[in-house]
Amino acid sequence: MQKNGSGQHDSGIAAVVFDWAGTLVDFGCFAPTASIVETFAQRGVTITLAEARGPMGLEKREHIRRLLADPGIASRWKEAAGVDPRAEDASSLYEELEPRLATAVRRHAELVPGARELADELRAWGIGIGSTTGYLRPIMDILTAEAASQGFVADAVLCPSDVPAGRPYPWMCFLNAIKLQAYPPRRLVKIGDTPADIQEGLNAGMWTIGVTLSGNEVGLSRSQLSALTDEEQSVLMQEAEKRLRDAGAHFVTESVGTCRDVLAGIEERIIRGEQPSREKSHGHA
């Protein structure tokens, strides 16, 4: 990546907009999934971690609504509650979920390896650091404080409650661009670990990078990964990569710690005047 004499980019990447859980923090994305599983269990409804991961990336009330709409989960809900899931059940479940999330995000707030170093480098090169999330503001206040204690601070942190609707709508990305004074959209990059992240970035006209190893789509901790063979890890990453590419990711890499070369390649494309197409992926690192 290059900068001009003033230290500010005039034609390359203007800003990078990160997701949080599974991308910047919480390797494997466990705070939301475990909290959701526990919340349903308190109602006598068993859901798996894999089921909880399905709608990941969405605003958490919408996440719960999607789970309740799943035929298998709805059937288990009816068996436990005696009635089909209702609209008000999503709201009451979220109210029960929020205090669990508050505890879980503190427990799973460790930065993904390379996150702080990448942010420091971006800031040194005059590139804005934005972020979006499926968490609402009270949870993000906890998480951003935990991240700051480890040396990571974003220039902008946008929640679904700040805009008309969360992912896959582009509004949080647009508001990041406004706050960071970054324009046009082809000079911005969205990095995330879920299809919803990728769709959010595409809908905002940004370049998109999907992360596999650290994220929801693989869904394992570093210790769980280390117990697998290289072949087993490779299969999981290939499956995660396919889901992110199917969502439209321009590039896929293992984590934010391996994003630098991908970002450098995007910068070259921006300088050449390329637009972030929705029709094709470009590669991986």
Side-chain angles (χ1 to χ4, degrees):
M1 289 179 284
Q2 301 176 359
K3 62 182 177 180
N4 62 26
S6 66
Q8 298 297 315
H9 278 58
D10 57 1
S11 60
I13 296 173
V16 176
V17 179
F18 294 92
D19 170 56
W20 281 85
T23 302
L24 288 173
V25 298
D26 189 2
F27 195 109
C29 198
F30 285 96
T33 50
S35 299
I36 288 168
V37 168
E38 291 170 10
T39 299
F40 272 82
Q42 286 298 307
R43 297 291 193 96
V45 180
T46 299
I47 68 170
T48 66
L49 272 175
E51 287 174 322
R53 291 184 184 281
M56 192 59 65
L58 301 178
E59 185 270 321
K60 291 300 170 277
R61 285 194 183 93
E62 179 60 23
H63 188 142
I64 291 172
R65 282 192 286 269
R66 297 283 182 94
L67 291 175
L68 290 173
D70 177 89
I73 295 173
S75 175
R76 278 170 259 157
W77 181 277
K78 185 173 183 179
E79 184 178 348
V83 294
D84 290 324
R86 300 162 298 178
E88 55 265 35
D89 292 322
S91 295
S92 62
L93 280 168
Y94 180 78
E95 290 174 4
E96 296 167 22
L97 172 66
E98 191 165 22
R100 288 192 178 92
L101 275 176
T103 299
V105 295
R106 289 188 176 94
R107 192 166 62 246
H108 295 283
E110 183 179 357
L111 289 174
V112 169
R116 179 180 55 78
E117 292 81 0
L118 178 61
D120 289 347
E121 186 170 1
L122 293 175
R123 186 164 281 118
W125 288 99
I127 296 173
I129 301 170
S131 64
T132 70
T133 181
Y135 291 142
L136 297 184
R137 183 61 61 183
I139 301 301
M140 281 311 300
D141 287 344
I142 297 169
L143 190 51
T144 53
E146 293 288 338
S149 71
Q150 300 169 69
F152 178 91
V153 178
D155 300 319
V157 179
L158 275 298
C159 301
S161 51
D162 299 321
V163 293
R167 301 165 182 153
Y169 293 95
W171 315 130
M172 287 190 289
C173 282
F174 287 163
L175 193 49
N176 266 277
I178 291 170
K179 288 180 175 293
L180 299 173
Q181 300 181 50
Y183 181 83
R186 71 177 190 86
R187 292 184 59 206
L188 283 81
V189 182
K190 174 67 201 296
I191 302 178
D193 66 308
T194 67
D197 284 298
I198 301 305
Q199 291 157 5
E200 175 190 35
L202 292 174
N203 288 338
M206 299 177 175
W207 295 93
T208 58
I209 302 175
V211 296
T212 56
L213 198 62
S214 71
N216 180 72
E217 299 306 303
V218 169
L220 296 177
S221 67
R222 281 184 281 173
S223 61
Q224 288 171 327
L225 281 168
S226 67
L228 301 179
T229 65
D230 290 345
E231 183 178 356
E232 289 170 331
Q233 288 188 29
S234 178
V235 168
L236 289 174
M237 284 193 291
Q238 288 172 17
E239 292 172 347
E241 178 173 340
K242 183 180 186 305
R243 288 190 289 271
L244 293 166
R245 288 200 184 281
D246 286 348
H250 296 113
F251 298 90
V252 177
T253 188
E254 291 184 4
S255 73
V256 290
T258 58
C259 273
R260 191 195 183 285
D261 288 344
V262 183
L263 289 168
I266 291 173
E267 173 132 309
E268 291 175 3
R269 292 174 183 274
I270 293 171
I271 292 171
R272 290 199 301 266
E274 291 188 32
Q275 300 286 339
S277 168
R278 296 184 68 112
E279 280 73 46
K280 61 182 180 179
S281 295
H282 295 280
H284 60 86

